[in-house]
Amino acid sequence: MINKMKEAAHCLQNTSVKEWKRDGGKVVGYSCTFIPEEIIHAAGLLPFRLRGIGTTSMSIGDSYYGAVNCSVPKCILQLAGQGSYKFLDGAIITNGCDSMRRLEETWRKASEDYPGTLPDYYEYFPVPHKSVDYSIEFYEEELNSMIESLQNHFNVKISKSSLKKSIKLYNEGRKCLQRFDELRSRQDVPITGEDAKAVLIAAHAIPQEHFIDMLKEIIEKMEKAPSVSNGKKRILLMGSASDDIDFIHVIEEAGAIVVADTVCYGSRTYSTLIDEKSDPVHALSSHYLTQSICPRMLGYYKTRLAYVMDVIRKTKVDGVILQNVRFCDLHGSENGIFERDLDAAGIPCMRLEREYGPLSETGRISMRINAFMERIS
Amino acid sequence: MIAAGCDVGSLTTKAVILNNTRLLGHALIGSSFNPEKSAAEVMEKALAAAHLTMDDIGFCVGTGYGRERIGFVKKTISEISCHAKGAHFLQPSMRTIIDIGGQDCKAIRLDEKGEIVKFMTNDKCASGTGRFLEVMAKLLGLELEELGRISGQTTQPINLAATCTVWAQAEVIMHLNDGMSKADLAAGINEAMAARIAILARSVGIEKDVCMTGGVAKNTGVIQAMEKQLGIPMRRLRVDPQMMGALGAAVFARERMGGR
């Protein structure tokens, strides 16, 4: 089972996506955790989180972006421009951050030069930066517009009952992931951080029903699995988008084991469940806009710190790695504040700025991780 | 109880032989494309200087970018820990260590026991590394060692606006073409270097005593510029600062053998 998860983590068009397409299914890519997968699922479409994995050149990405932009959207654009995302029938881009927000324009522009690389359904979705009543209302209106446009473009009906069914299914996935997190962070760790990361990536890359079945099997095995953590330092990984299992491999090669994370493409999306009783669109709106720990949301640092301290307490980590992709202004600045507060709380932590994409910096990254491991030994 | 440390860096490879607290021998060579060969060669030289053979070494620790490729070491330790260990071994009052190597620079803060409290490395680019100075010295037609001495003769150091090594190079060429003196250029280069490193040093929080290690610490111009920028004196070490990683590795090796 874990190999299927790893396959999904290593490549874009995994076997499940290919089978979905072969059976006539359609796939809609989305750029950020603020897009409710439940809506895409309720439309009978496969939600697929956009990634920049496997990029070997930046010839296209660099042409439409500035030199000081985060390389995550650049890598996504590179893959889009070279045709790797041609399996998508749709894509929804958000203003998750400013660089990601620009992807909406750069992809559109690049498709003029690389014809046929823009999905037929291509939409921008604005997400508010505040979690207050009026922004939840705005977000709900936007979700209703998204529902309408998906219905019109794909000629499908997204009913309240189908939305409720999807919410129930994704809540089941969340409960499984919560159990998965409990297991991966227990004293005798039954899974490497590298394998755990593959599971978390697969959650947004294969049909949810299929994912839940596989995850249940993995959980069953984890309940009885021997420890893989002997003598290793328990690490919490924090910071910006991280969907590269090779990066986790580099960390773990230095004698660490990643037992928890708060990163995008990681454990960010399932710590709470969506209300299944109230109006589904309102439930989605209030959940997605109020339960995120992404620093794009203004004014909630203390809530995020409390969440992180709770994770640290529960998972009993030896240290925290605060990583961010170079030029990530959101996480780059917030990591500095986290460092200050974790230092004050006596929790060993290190900041690590890195490039996203091909791991060209392995030597320098492992030198720093090694030094951190030596420090907390 | 003879311990050894070997530091395979990006530009140079170093080895230190230590008997308890006494430095028996050390050596430095340019790193070749083959880290294993560089390590063997430098160790042979250090052993010759100490009048010893490999059989006399009880424990050897490897460090530096090529550490995993050294055949004869029993353990590898990161250069961050090794530079801290070496400097603290020489001067236990040391709290902040600024190491400038060939391809990176690091600021390390220690507690009173010599344990690392915090460290930062340059993430952005090669600016503020030994490679930056190497490129600039070549441009001025100087040996690397001369940059510091010549910069002392400056009357008005130039101000390098560019951070990027390549753009800064273009800027220096422009000034050379304008007939600017090498002393003013060398001083400007050293100050630019110090400015980059001071940012890193401030980010770990500077505490006295402070020293510089790595090859660039031999450049008196950079040291003086750092003192000016940070407003505190840099403690000089009694051992070649470029040997600090290898020395720290040797101290770790000595500890492994039961020495304190």
Side-chain angles (χ1 to χ4, degrees), chain B residues 26-105:
Chain B
H26 60 90
L28 180 147
I29 60 168
S31 293
S32 71
F33 60 90
N34 182 341
E36 210 166 340
K37 213 172 134 193
S38 301
E41 194 183 326
V42 80
M43 187 52 88
E44 204 175 301
K45 284 193 171 185
L47 285 166
H51 306 292
L52 295 169
T53 68
M54 205 60 182
D55 293 340
D56 298 315
I57 305 294
F59 203 100
C60 183
V61 166
T63 189
Y65 281 96
R67 63 186 178 277
E68 301 299 340
R69 301 273 307 275
I70 312 173
F72 52 82
V73 299
K74 289 188 179 161
K75 185 171 175 55
T76 58
I77 295 177
S78 75
E79 47 270 50
I80 292 174
S81 295
C82 286
H83 275 267
K85 182 62 98 179
H88 189 259
F89 167 76
L90 290 177
Q91 185 68 47
S93 61
M94 218 55 91
R95 294 290 175 272
T96 312
I97 293 136
I98 300 159
D99 165 50
I100 311 172
Q103 65 178 18
D104 68 7
C105 51

Side-chain angles (χ1 to χ4, degrees), chain A residues 326-327 339 343 350-353 361 363-364 366-368 370-372 374-375, chain B residues 65 67 76-81 103-104 106 116-119 121-124:
Chain A
R326 199 161 290 153
F327 306 121
E339 184 186 34
D343 271 348
M350 76 167 285
R351 286 176 72 183
L352 179 75
E353 196 171 70
E361 300 176 292
R364 282 192 289 139
S366 61
M367 184 260 287
R368 283 181 278 176
N370 273 327
F372 185 53
E374 288 154 12
R375 191 192 131 192
Chain B
Y65 281 96
R67 63 186 178 277
T76 58
I77 295 177
S78 75
E79 47 270 50
I80 292 174
S81 295
Q103 65 178 18
D104 68 7
K106 317 165 188 87
I116 296 175
V117 179
K118 203 172 177 183
F119 65 85
T121 62
N122 64 322
D123 290 303
K124 296 280 188 293

